[in-house]
Amino acid sequence: MKALMFERFGGPEVLYYAEAPDPPMKPGTALVRMKAAGLNFADIYRRRGGYYLAGDPPYILGYEGAGIVEQVSSDLDGIRAGDRVAFADVPFANAELVSAPADRLIPLPYDISFEQAAAILLQGLTAHYLVHDSYHVRPGDDVVIHAAAGGVGQLLIQMSKNKGARVAGITSSNAKREAALKAGADEVLFYDDDWVHDVIGWSQSGCGANVVYDSIGSTLMNSFAAVQTKGTVVFFGMAGGDPPNIDPRMLMDSSKSLVGGDLWNHLTTRNQRLERAETLFADLRMGRLELEEPKQFALEDGEAAHRLLEGRGNTGKILLIP
């Protein structure tokens, strides 16, 4: 098979496209012929050496994608060759063939394309637990979303609006502002402005938002300043650098809450994967969720795709097509 690989940590230039051994068939697995793979910031962090990587060099990135089952191990029931499937947490997805544990596979309905599945699963499942579990968004809440034009950001906007909240996004450019507004944000603020002051002025209470979803990390203290007394900051990413240390006395004095968020603590069983994925697919079907048209790159052009995502000029999802 062909795969997008790298042997040393570094920038996009370390990636190369070459022949690799087909993955071996193991008990409890299915061999999936990939049709689309999602590119995520986690892939960039892994390429740089900042995240855990499965396997040994040469490394193959990617954990999200969709395709067709080509072969199944003899001990599997319920999955057959020819099945359309998707996944959000199977390693080595940037390849033509992927060996996937059966409990990680999500059946893909025929009215959901491979590209839609690869574009929504990881970010959609993340947004879903954030608005239902980390903080249960309620009608009338004032919700603030960092990186509002990104894949998770646009889905968070839509899910929060679907639950009856008012939403303000924070972005870094006019183009990203337009993307966040198109996703349904009521207001979009800029990082270069005094967005904390602007959030407080925008909020219905005049004292700040009910919740701030912070995927930037370095902005964490400003996020606390932008929530009202008894408000919540949900921290779920470090796209802008490590967060500062938090003094728990500040939480006590303000009655504010800090909630950590990691998808894999919310997807611990096959049923959890299926239930949340089916909700996403249903919302796509009913038009309750809309995806910005993903930007597609051939898998062999993975270096260019990484450069686009790493440059932060992109909105929406980037897909790699084997």
Side-chain angles (χ1 to χ4, degrees):
M1 70 174 185
K2 292 285 185 68
L4 184 67
M5 298 180 285
F6 70 103
E7 298 183 21
R8 58 186 175 86
F9 299 120
E13 68 278 357
V14 303
L15 298 168
Y16 64 93
Y17 182 72
E19 291 282 349
D22 288 357
M25 287 298 304
K26 297 179 181 179
T29 66
L31 195 64
V32 179
R33 175 71 61 176
M34 295 296 291
K35 296 297 183 182
L39 181 62
N40 298 286
F41 269 103
D43 296 308
I44 289 174
Y45 302 147
R46 291 186 176 98
R47 190 202 69 223
R48 293 174 179 169
Y51 267 23
Y52 168 77
L53 266 169
D56 299 304
Y59 298 112
I60 299 175
L61 292 171
Y63 277 75
E64 174 188 34
I68 298 174
V69 174
E70 192 158 288
Q71 186 180 349
V72 298
S73 61
S74 59
D75 60 328
L76 280 190
D77 291 319
I79 299 176
R80 298 175 298 177
D83 284 353
R84 303 171 80 252
V85 294
F87 54 81
D89 56 345
V90 176
F92 317 128
N94 289 177
E96 292 178 325
L97 293 170
V98 173
S99 176
D103 64 348
R104 306 289 177 88
L105 291 176
I106 297 167
L108 188 60
Y110 278 95
D111 61 346
I112 304 296
S113 70
F114 297 114
E115 293 78 13
Q116 284 177 306
I120 198 174
L121 267 182
L122 189 61
Q123 294 173 339
L125 292 169
T126 297
H128 189 272
Y129 90 78
L130 288 171
V131 302
H132 289 89
D133 300 82
S134 297
Y135 176 89
H136 191 82
V137 175
R138 299 157 298 189
D141 276 348
D142 286 338
V143 175
V144 174
I145 297 168
H146 282 274
V152 174
Q154 291 190 37
L155 291 168
L156 275 174
I157 290 170
Q158 294 178 71
M159 290 184 186
S160 297
K161 292 297 295 181
N162 288 343
K163 292 169 76 66
R166 296 171 75 241
V167 177
I170 314 175
T171 62
S172 58
S173 69
N174 284 318
K176 290 184 177 182
R177 180 179 187 274
E178 291 305 313
L181 288 171
K182 186 177 180 181
D186 299 289
E187 178 63 277
V188 180
L189 310 171
F190 291 108
Y191 284 110
D192 287 342
D193 296 335
D194 186 356
W195 60 265
V196 172
H197 175 269
D198 294 341
V199 165
I200 293 171
W202 168 81
S203 66
Q204 298 171 95
S205 65
C207 299
N210 298 96
V211 61
V212 175
Y213 287 103
D214 192 324
S215 58
I216 305 302
S218 58
T219 55
L220 199 60
M221 292 310 298
N222 283 335
S223 293
F224 273 111
V227 294
Q228 60 189 248
T229 300
K230 298 188 290 185
T232 300
V233 174
V234 180
F235 165 61
F236 68 102
M238 297 172 288
D242 290 336
N245 293 327
I246 300 298
D247 185 346
R249 291 173 298 181
M250 180 272 291
L251 303 179
M252 180 182 69
D253 292 344
S254 62
S255 296
K256 295 179 181 180
S257 299
L258 173 62
V259 179
D262 186 86
L263 175 60
W264 312 122
N265 295 322
H266 297 267
L267 290 184
T268 57
T269 68
R270 176 170 170 76
N271 281 342
Q272 289 171 350
R273 286 184 178 83
L274 295 181
E275 288 172 5
R276 292 185 191 263
E278 287 167 2
T279 298
L280 292 179
F281 295 155
D283 284 344
L284 277 177
R285 205 173 280 126
M286 294 185 293
R288 288 169 54 84
L289 289 179
E290 295 183 1
L291 293 174
E292 181 178 343
E293 187 68 26
K295 292 179 177 63
Q296 298 187 24
F297 289 79
L299 183 59
E300 62 189 282
D301 296 326
E303 179 182 341
H306 273 242
R307 288 191 187 282
L308 177 61
L309 183 61
E310 199 164 10
R312 301 187 186 278
N314 183 62
T315 61
K317 190 74 174 188
I318 297 173
L319 301 180
L320 297 173
I321 309 300

